[in-house]
Amino acid sequence: MEQVFALDIGTRLVMGLIMEKTTEGYRIIARAQTEHRQRSMYDGQIHDVEAVAEAVRWVKEELEAQIKRKLCYVSVAAAGRALKTVVATAQKSHLVPIIWEREDVFALEMEAVEHALRELQPEDGTSYHCVGYSTIEAFLEGQSLAKLIGQRGKEVQVKVIASFLPRTVIDGLTGVITRAGLEMRDLTLEPIAAGRAAIPPDMRRMNLALVDVGAGTSDIALTQNGSFFAYGMVPMAGDAITERICQHYLVDFKTGETIKRSLNSNAQVTFTDFLGAEITIDQEEVIEVIRPVVFELAQKIAGELLRLNQRNPHAIILVGGGSLTPHLTEILCELLEMPRNRVGIQIRERIQGVSGDETLKGPDAITPIGIGISTLEGEGLQYFSVHVNDIPVQVFELQLATVSDALLAAGIAPRLLVGRPGSALTFEFNGEMKILKGEFGKPAQFILNGQEVKLDQELKQGDTIEFKPAVDGKDAQITFAELIPSVLAKKIKVNDQPLLFSPQIYCNGHLVEDHMNVIDGAKIEVASNRTIKDLLRFLQEKNYQRTEIRYKIDGEEHTIPETREIFVNRQKATLERVIQSGDEVIIRVKELTIKDLQLNPRPMVFCVNGEEVLFPPQIRRVLSRGKILTGQDKVEDGMELIVEGYETRPILSDLLPHIKIPQGMPANARLSLKKNGQEAEFTTPLIPGDRIEIQWEKIFPHNKQ
């Protein structure tokens, strides 16, 4: 008989079962379980892949030791964290009536799930993976039936509810399984698996609610009319109770778990807190401490039940280790105003048709048993393994799996499949718009078992795919030299020096070298290389010659043209003379010296008795950057000159030879000197612009007593 490995990876506990189908039902052949050594899972999400894989490896090796053979494939279930559900339909018809076999019905159900997957298009771009589905309704030529298998007719239709989880959740699960040396065979959703074991098919016609209260999440499934029709999840479960105990009594998480689990069996609990104190407390005291958290958990479960079902179900069935939380069932009854006997806990001992390992008891055994039953009945979603670039990848057999499915499962982004064309280069050339196209990209290559194939090529177990990413096309690129033909350049001689007289290229107003690349959006202008005038402009940019010299005298700017004579092939030429290749050009420029500027210092100007008086320069000295220049020094472009006419500042007596002193000195008078209205002496220093007053002033004798 076929034996399956069912594995329940919970937030706190990892349990594995080896099961087989018998004529009487199902039999448990072997069991192994362990707890995580550390908190490597939170709210049903795997956070430490290696730590969880270590627990899975231990369970696998323990089971292998019991059954004396190696385990390669495993069936698992995913918690309902971030669960999305979509209802979709699919129909099929034939020209003549046929008998609808199991394969036909399964293919129709897979098509409906595919429709649901296409409907699920989240705005945030999250990639979702199908983790389970249930058939809500089935119709044969418009008539509702419980099952289509074996029925005869031309037209059938099914309506399914498909459940989806983010790919990151599934990738974490497959990562753990791969690291543990296993391959995923089937995947289902935890509430689907738990419901498969806890609620017999004939009971599913009633409106029942199954709540799988684990450590991190409380998963919900609802039945009606013979099938599961809705799924939900509350991100809160047994760990929230443990954390409340840890906070209140200052203990670590492991001790908190021990305290919580003892509440249903011991009247008192003894433990050591984080500070080393040994404490003994009554069961009722702990129950009162956790009651607010239990009430919050019950509120969230009740709220999600009403949201999904729109009314109270006929009964609520709790499974999972968290279902044993004290007073959880009672509070749920109060919140939903349901009779006490309509909310209960399902345990392994009450499940009919499951034999073997009688020591496996309690509500936390329901989910792994349900995983095994789903696999044995072929109700889980099938997976098989292929290799993409030597990496094993689990492919979901929703329909005939293709190369594209394997690439998506391997996490290869769609943008790597098609090479983008290189960017075009747009620029303006002498007022005309030019566009240079980029290269086309090269598409990705897919090599299946040594042969190149397309994305829609179907796959089978063990196939090997070599993926070569697409190559983007190169952006358009051109240099200025490539843009302007080199034949336009002229080889000439200037002052006996060889020169390549080429057109001058300006990009956005700046002269550029011909080896530089043209930039996108550039405005390019090309200056001609035709005449002597063009040559002078070319030589100016190359710093050969200038057309004028600019200089400053005492801060005042001056410009003087340079005097030049130009000869082409020993004949005097004008600026309009056309240059040909091979021409010899002589440019003679007369150098400008300080003497040519005829620089004279300016006299100082004073005002004496209301008249302007000029005090002539006493010396003549020209300086540039602190250096005294001679008349033979060359005038350079940009030179700043200072012309000095005095060694020192004059004094009033220096000015006397250049002014008229009032004649006719009266008796009893003296010469009065003033500068800018103030009394002055002959030695008083002057500055240009001073106002000087020179007058005879009469002296009056002092009166005697």
Side-chain angles (χ1 to χ4, degrees):
M1 293 184 183
E2 180 190 18
Q3 295 181 350
V4 298
F5 176 16
L7 182 67
D8 181 18
I9 305 176
T11 301
R12 305 267 6 110
L13 181 71
V14 177
M15 181 183 295
L17 302 178
I18 304 297
M19 295 179 63
E20 66 180 13
K21 188 175 182 179
T22 66
T23 54
E24 291 80 18
Y26 310 96
R27 186 163 71 94
I28 301 172
I29 299 171
R31 170 175 66 103
Q33 67 184 55
T34 185
E35 292 189 9
H36 298 293
R37 294 185 178 180
Q38 57 189 18
R39 295 192 70 184
S40 48
M41 292 182 64
Y42 296 86
D43 300 338
Q45 171 68 52
I46 296 170
H47 285 258
D48 188 336
V49 171
E50 185 55 46
V52 178
E54 183 181 349
V56 173
R57 274 194 298 268
W58 187 93
V59 170
K60 169 180 171 284
E61 291 169 0
E62 181 69 19
L63 289 173
E64 287 174 339
Q66 294 181 39
I67 63 176
K68 302 295 189 293
R69 65 179 175 86
K70 185 174 179 60
L71 295 172
C72 299
Y73 300 97
V74 65
S75 300
V76 295
R81 178 179 174 81
L83 180 71
K84 300 284 186 182
T85 57
V86 179
V87 175
T89 61
Q91 59 185 18
K92 202 172 273 189
S93 61
H94 288 271
L95 294 175
V96 295
I98 66 168
I99 296 177
W100 294 88
E101 302 293 348
R102 178 181 179 82
E103 293 77 12
D104 302 319
V105 176
F106 180 73
L108 189 62
E109 292 172 345
M110 290 297 99
E111 184 180 338
V113 174
E114 180 69 17
H115 292 167
L117 184 58
R118 285 200 295 266
E119 262 187 61
L120 187 65
Q121 296 178 347
E123 294 180 358
D124 60 0
T126 302
S127 176
Y128 280 87
H129 211 89
C130 183
V131 291
Y133 75 95
S134 297
T135 301
I136 300 174
E137 291 181 290
F139 298 90
L140 177 69
E141 297 182 354
Q143 182 180 354
S144 178
L145 295 175
K147 282 190 176 184
L148 292 175
I149 298 174
Q151 301 287 350
R152 187 173 183 274
K154 291 190 297 183
E155 183 178 304
V156 293
Q157 182 183 38
V158 294
K159 180 189 289 187
V160 304
I161 178 170
S163 306
F164 301 90
L165 288 176
R167 182 173 286 274
T168 53
V169 176
I170 304 304
D171 287 346
L173 197 58
T174 55
V176 165
I177 291 169
T178 301
R179 284 177 178 266
L182 295 165
E183 287 187 26
M184 188 185 299
R185 171 178 171 174
D186 291 286
L187 175 67
T188 188
L189 194 66
E190 286 186 359
I192 294 178
R196 185 69 179 81
I199 305 175
D202 58 341
M203 293 291 292
R204 295 174 200 165
R205 301 196 64 81
M206 292 187 287
N207 183 206
L208 303 178
L210 175 83
V211 183
D212 184 357
V213 186
T217 61
S218 298
D219 298 313
I220 299 171
L222 293 165
T223 67
Q224 190 170 273
N225 299 327
S227 65
F228 291 94
F229 74 94
Y231 305 100
M233 186 274 297
V234 172
M236 182 180 182
D239 279 358
I241 311 297
T242 306
E243 287 169 358
R244 174 61 178 159
I245 294 173
C246 294
Q247 293 170 4
H248 186 82
Y249 293 107
L250 196 62
V251 294
D252 58 35
F253 196 84
K254 186 175 181 180
T255 304
E257 276 287 298
T258 303
I259 296 172
K260 181 181 72 174
R261 293 175 185 178
S262 67
L263 294 178
N264 292 319
S265 57
N266 300 331
Q268 287 188 328
V269 182
T270 300
F271 59 89
T272 302
D273 68 12
F274 185 71
L275 299 177
E278 186 174 292
I279 300 173
T280 300
I281 53 176
D282 292 334
Q283 175 196 73
E284 289 302 320
E285 178 184 334
V286 182
I287 291 175
E288 286 304 312
V289 168
I290 65 174
R291 183 179 290 275
V293 184
V294 178
F295 186 83
E296 181 185 358
L297 174 60
Q299 269 188 321
K300 291 184 176 181
I301 293 173
E304 183 69 2
L305 280 173
L306 293 176
R307 185 188 72 82
L308 294 171
N309 202 54
Q310 299 298 310
R311 56 188 174 89
N312 280 347
H314 296 149
I316 300 174
I317 302 165
L318 301 180
V319 298
S323 65
L324 298 174
T325 301
H327 302 309
L328 177 60
T329 56
E330 292 90 333
I331 295 174
L332 273 175
C333 289
E334 294 173 7
L335 291 173
L336 295 173
E337 297 180 354
M338 294 178 64
R340 180 64 187 85
N341 63 348
R342 290 301 179 102
V343 180
I345 300 173
Q346 178 66 291
I347 57 177
R348 184 267 164 113
E349 296 90 312
R350 286 199 293 269
I351 297 178
Q352 298 179 359
V354 178
S355 61
D357 195 353
E358 300 301 327
T359 62
L360 180 61
K361 299 180 179 180
D364 52 357
I366 302 298
T367 298
I369 291 175
I371 296 172
I373 294 174
S374 295
T375 303
L376 290 169
E377 295 297 335
E379 296 174 351
L381 298 176
Q382 305 296 306
Y383 279 77
F384 64 87
S385 180
V386 297
H387 284 76
V388 177
N389 290 354
D390 296 327
I391 299 174
V393 173
Q394 302 293 327
V395 179
F396 171 40
E397 200 178 49
L398 184 61
Q399 53 185 9
L400 291 175
T402 63
V403 170
S404 63
D405 297 325
L407 296 181
L408 287 174
I412 294 174
R415 63 178 179 81
L416 298 177
L417 304 180
V418 180
R420 293 177 295 184
S423 299
L425 183 64
T426 305
F427 55 92
E428 188 179 303
F429 184 74
N430 283 347
E432 183 180 353
M433 189 62 66
K434 301 282 187 180
I435 299 176
L436 187 64
K437 295 181 179 180
E439 293 183 1
F440 288 106
K442 295 181 180 178
Q445 288 182 285
F446 320 105
I447 300 172
L448 177 63
N449 302 328
Q451 292 186 346
E452 188 169 352
V453 296
K454 295 184 178 181
L455 280 172
D456 59 357
Q457 177 66 42
E458 296 176 5
L459 298 177
K460 61 182 183 300
Q461 170 72 28
D463 277 347
T464 298
I465 302 169
E466 181 184 356
F467 168 67
K468 296 181 179 180
V471 179
D472 292 339
K474 292 182 179 179
D475 295 339
Q477 184 175 307
I478 191 172
T479 64
F480 292 104
E482 294 169 328
L483 185 63
I484 301 171
S486 59
V487 294
L488 297 178
K490 299 174 180 178
K491 294 181 180 180
I492 62 174
K493 282 187 177 181
V494 177
N495 294 346
D496 295 326
Q497 298 295 321
L499 177 69
L500 188 64
F501 182 25
S502 58
Q504 289 178 295
I505 307 169
Y506 293 85
C507 180
N508 298 330
H510 299 285
L511 186 69
V512 295
E513 301 291 338
D514 57 3
H515 66 274
M516 297 170 63
N517 288 329
V518 177
I519 60 175
D520 191 51
K523 290 186 177 181
I524 303 169
E525 294 180 359
V526 180
S528 173
N529 62 334
R530 184 172 176 271
T531 65
I532 293 291
K533 186 177 181 180
D534 297 332
L535 176 62
L536 291 179
R537 182 174 58 244
F538 182 85
L539 294 175
Q540 178 185 349
E541 297 296 337
K542 295 293 185 180
N543 206 24
Y544 275 68
Q545 301 292 341
R546 293 176 298 271
T547 58
E548 61 183 16
I549 294 178
R550 298 174 183 271
Y551 61 93
K552 290 183 179 180
I553 301 175
D554 295 333
E556 184 178 341
E557 190 165 328
H558 297 266
T559 302
I560 185 170
E562 285 193 331
T563 304
R564 63 168 55 86
E565 288 182 322
I566 302 173
F567 298 87
V568 178
N569 302 329
R570 300 182 181 181
Q571 294 183 357
K572 195 169 184 179
T574 65
L575 293 178
E576 303 305 322
R577 170 71 154 80
V578 176
I579 299 291
Q580 304 291 342
S581 289
D583 283 347
E584 295 184 5
V585 181
I586 301 296
I587 303 174
R588 293 175 182 169
V589 181
K590 182 182 177 181
E591 292 185 346
L592 190 65
T593 64
I594 296 297
K595 182 176 67 174
D596 296 328
L597 297 181
Q598 298 180 353
L599 301 174
N600 293 310
R602 298 175 182 178
M604 292 186 182
V605 180
F606 299 94
C607 181
V608 181
N609 292 339
E611 295 182 1
E612 186 180 271
V613 174
L614 299 178
F615 181 58
Q618 306 299 301
I619 62 171
R620 180 180 176 276
R621 183 164 56 204
V622 182
L623 298 92
S624 177
R625 296 184 179 179
K627 178 185 177 182
I628 299 175
L629 305 178
T630 68
Q632 303 305 315
D633 284 324
K634 182 182 176 182
V635 178
E636 297 179 356
D637 190 54
M639 179 179 279
E640 295 188 8
L641 304 174
I642 298 174
V643 183
E644 294 183 346
Y646 306 90
E647 287 283 3
T648 60
R649 290 172 56 185
I651 59 176
L652 199 151
S653 62
D654 294 332
L655 196 60
L656 292 180
H658 305 283
I659 64 177
K660 294 179 181 180
I661 299 176
Q663 300 296 320
M665 181 180 71
N668 298 324
R670 68 179 179 85
L671 194 64
S672 172
L673 304 176
K674 291 185 179 180
K675 185 185 82 167
N676 299 329
Q678 302 292 325
E679 295 290 337
E681 303 289 342
F682 286 110
T683 58
T684 300
L686 302 177
I687 61 174
D690 281 347
R691 300 187 313 278
I692 310 298
E693 295 179 18
I694 303 177
Q695 302 290 340
W696 292 107
E697 186 180 68
K698 190 173 183 179
I699 302 174
F700 295 96
H702 293 284
N703 293 327
K704 295 182 179 179
Q705 295 292 334

